[in-house]
Amino acid sequence: MEMRTCARCGLPETYETIEFDSFGVCNICRQQEFKADKIDWAERRKMLETLIEEHRGKQDYDCLVPFSGGKDSTYTLYFLVKECRLKPLVVQFNHGFMRPNLLANNERTFKKLGVDVISFTPNWKVVKRLMLESLIRKGDFCWHCHTGIFSYPMHIAIKYQVPLVLWGEPSSEYTAYYDYRENEIEEVDETRFNRFVNLGITAEDMRGMIQGDFNLDPRDLLPYTYPSLKELKKLRYRSVCLGSFIPWDTRRQAEVIMRELGWKGDEVEGMPPGLYPYEKIECYMQGVRDYLKYLKRGYSRVRQMTALDIRSGRMEKEEADALVKRWEGQKPPSLTLFLEYLEISEEKFNEIVRKLIVPPFQPNFEKMQWGPKTPDFERWSREAK
């Protein structure tokens, strides 16, 4: 059975939160139209300025910026320091797969902007077990990364008494978990965390899932828990996306940080070389994550990125379709490292994924071909033998 796709951007019916109208156009496209034509961005900018002035100079830090080192968090930090003249506390959750170029970008960015940074790396043994469990349960091994990135900075906000937390890209850019057409500011709070960040699995759930066959100290899961509402209310916190106040444009913003900060792009497994050097360069497991998405839902990041370019008028659908046909579905070389980390075979991996495929897509595991290695592949971490 052939999958239905958006008549405009090409996203398939298996895409998270997608719906089609009577013209065959998806809700993601429609909310981007609203973003471009209906939102008063001048008024939104005034809202941002008011919010900033409410917090400027009131604490040791004006705001807290969660930071991955990718294009969005780097631009957010740049904008807040250079445009808004804020003193931020930068908080980085190290998921365990940071690429060499990313680490160099981070150091360069921190030095050029002159910021204070807290970087946290969780217990690797626990991380591997969490990866396996979330792969089995959800077909997404990134539970520790999803939850840690969004929960750990909130704990630091409480510890350092920084009420204002400013993220980068709103989810409305890619999905309809939140919709620009609601014309409200997207709050990055526990409701959002439970709606789609944690894959429907709380830290307490995860503890029950893995403690029976793993020597787990309950404290090991604290970085993945969301702080209590009581603590956050006491802080009088506000946690929002910069992209709710200024129109988000990843390509333009990537050009800004490349020019102003010397931020360097990279090749990513499964992506057309040179076309999107700014997209998802943070993690050397990104290729596996995109491969999983393709096996489960029949699309990957190539389709997501070309859909953005179609909506912005930078690409025609015919060109996008050709790129998707050429690049989607390749088996990433990083899969060999991934299987090594989790101590499972590729057969076991495929067995897990087969149970989680979203109809009507049906992958042909036997026909998957290996994609090319990235230039830094040999520098990625291997398990000691």
Side-chain angles (χ1 to χ4, degrees):
M1 181 178 178
E2 188 173 346
M3 287 197 297
R4 184 183 182 188
T5 61
C6 174
R8 180 176 298 172
C9 74
L11 287 179
E13 62 183 291
T14 52
Y15 191 82
E16 296 93 330
T17 72
I18 201 167
E19 296 175 357
F20 301 105
D21 63 18
S22 59
F23 296 95
V25 177
C26 74
N27 50 342
I28 317 297
C29 283
R30 294 304 188 196
Q31 67 187 33
Q32 292 298 316
E33 291 175 348
F34 186 91
K35 169 191 171 183
D37 301 331
K38 302 295 184 181
I39 294 179
D40 185 342
W41 289 108
E43 181 61 29
R44 289 286 185 95
R45 182 61 181 264
K46 290 179 183 177
M47 292 171 63
L48 175 64
E49 292 169 357
T50 299
L51 180 63
I52 285 173
E53 293 309 316
E54 289 174 356
H55 294 87
R56 188 190 299 274
K58 301 293 177 62
Q59 307 292 338
D60 291 343
Y61 297 96
D62 297 323
C63 65
L64 185 149
V65 179
F67 188 87
S68 70
K71 64 188 187 309
D72 299 308
S73 61
T74 301
Y75 180 79
T76 298
L77 184 59
Y78 168 81
F79 181 90
L80 295 174
V81 172
K82 292 296 187 180
E83 296 279 338
C84 303
R85 306 297 179 186
L86 293 179
K87 178 178 175 59
L89 175 60
V90 180
V91 179
Q92 185 171 61
F93 182 90
N94 185 339
H95 43 64
F97 307 108
M98 289 186 173
R99 297 176 66 181
N101 178 54
L102 181 87
L103 295 172
N105 277 341
N106 291 350
E107 183 176 2
R108 192 181 305 113
T109 295
F110 298 152
K111 287 181 175 179
K112 286 200 172 188
L113 293 179
V115 291
D116 295 348
V117 182
I118 292 175
S119 182
F120 173 75
T121 304
N123 184 322
W124 173 239
K125 290 184 178 180
V126 175
V127 164
K128 290 198 297 179
R129 185 63 185 87
L130 295 173
M131 287 170 61
L132 178 59
E133 193 65 27
S134 62
L135 173 68
I136 293 171
R137 301 272 178 174
K138 296 292 183 176
D140 185 342
F141 61 89
C142 299
W143 182 90
H144 80 284
C145 184
H146 299 316
T147 56
I149 284 174
F150 283 97
S151 61
Y152 182 75
M154 304 309 294
H155 287 283
I156 298 299
I158 292 170
K159 183 174 182 178
Y160 283 83
Q161 292 294 288
V162 187
L164 180 59
V165 181
L166 289 168
W167 307 79
E169 182 181 49
S171 65
S172 306
E173 283 294 295
Y174 289 97
T175 71
Y177 286 111
Y178 290 85
D179 193 328
Y180 278 122
R181 291 173 293 181
E182 295 171 357
N183 210 17
E184 297 178 355
I185 301 300
E186 183 176 329
E187 301 288 338
V188 186
D189 55 13
E190 188 173 13
T191 298
R192 184 182 187 272
F193 185 78
N194 290 328
R195 182 179 292 185
F196 67 93
V197 170
N198 68 3
L199 307 177
I201 302 174
T202 67
E204 187 63 27
D205 293 335
M206 188 61 79
R207 177 186 173 188
M209 293 171 184
I210 69 176
Q211 67 179 356
D213 60 348
F214 186 71
N215 186 21
L216 179 72
D217 185 323
R219 293 173 294 181
D220 286 331
L221 291 181
L222 286 177
Y224 313 105
T225 63
Y226 210 81
S228 71
L229 185 58
K230 180 180 179 180
E231 290 180 295
L232 291 168
K233 282 187 173 180
K234 185 178 179 181
L235 181 64
R236 301 181 68 181
Y237 84 112
R238 191 76 191 279
S239 177
V240 290
C241 298
L242 179 62
S244 291
F245 300 96
I246 64 173
W248 210 251
D249 185 335
T250 56
R251 187 186 290 268
R252 181 189 66 80
Q253 290 162 188
E255 291 170 354
V256 171
I257 59 175
M258 288 176 180
R259 181 179 66 249
E260 300 297 328
L261 299 175
W263 191 88
K264 298 183 186 302
D266 221 332
E267 289 186 23
V268 175
E269 291 176 325
M271 295 291 286
L275 186 57
Y276 299 107
Y278 51 82
E279 178 64 17
K280 291 299 179 184
I281 70 165
E282 301 97 308
C283 175
Y284 53 78
M285 286 292 106
Q286 183 62 44
V288 179
R289 186 155 190 254
D290 284 339
Y291 181 56
L292 270 167
K293 186 176 291 186
Y294 178 80
L295 291 176
K296 291 192 306 176
R297 295 177 177 271
Y299 74 92
S300 70
R301 191 153 301 275
V302 182
R303 176 57 81 185
Q304 287 180 272
M305 294 307 298
T306 57
L308 283 178
D309 279 351
I310 291 170
R311 295 187 200 111
S312 65
R314 292 177 175 134
M315 184 178 290
E316 296 297 325
K317 189 170 182 297
E318 291 74 17
E319 181 184 356
D321 290 343
L323 287 169
V324 168
K325 183 177 180 180
R326 167 67 179 83
W327 290 100
E328 277 199 338
Q330 294 184 354
K331 194 184 302 184
S334 59
L335 180 63
T336 59
L337 305 183
F338 178 80
L339 299 175
E340 178 184 304
Y341 295 150
L342 299 193
E343 299 180 19
I344 60 174
S345 65
E346 187 175 351
E347 290 71 25
K348 179 63 176 178
F349 174 86
N350 290 343
E351 178 186 331
I352 291 169
V353 176
R354 280 192 178 95
K355 299 175 183 178
L356 299 164
I357 293 168
V358 179
F361 184 67
Q362 288 296 327
N364 187 332
F365 289 87
E366 286 67 37
K367 287 191 175 182
M368 299 302 172
Q369 301 294 314
W370 289 99
K373 295 178 180 179
T374 61
D376 63 341
F377 178 78
E378 300 304 330
R379 299 170 65 190
W380 296 355
S381 176
R382 271 75 175 167
E383 290 282 70
K385 296 297 185 181

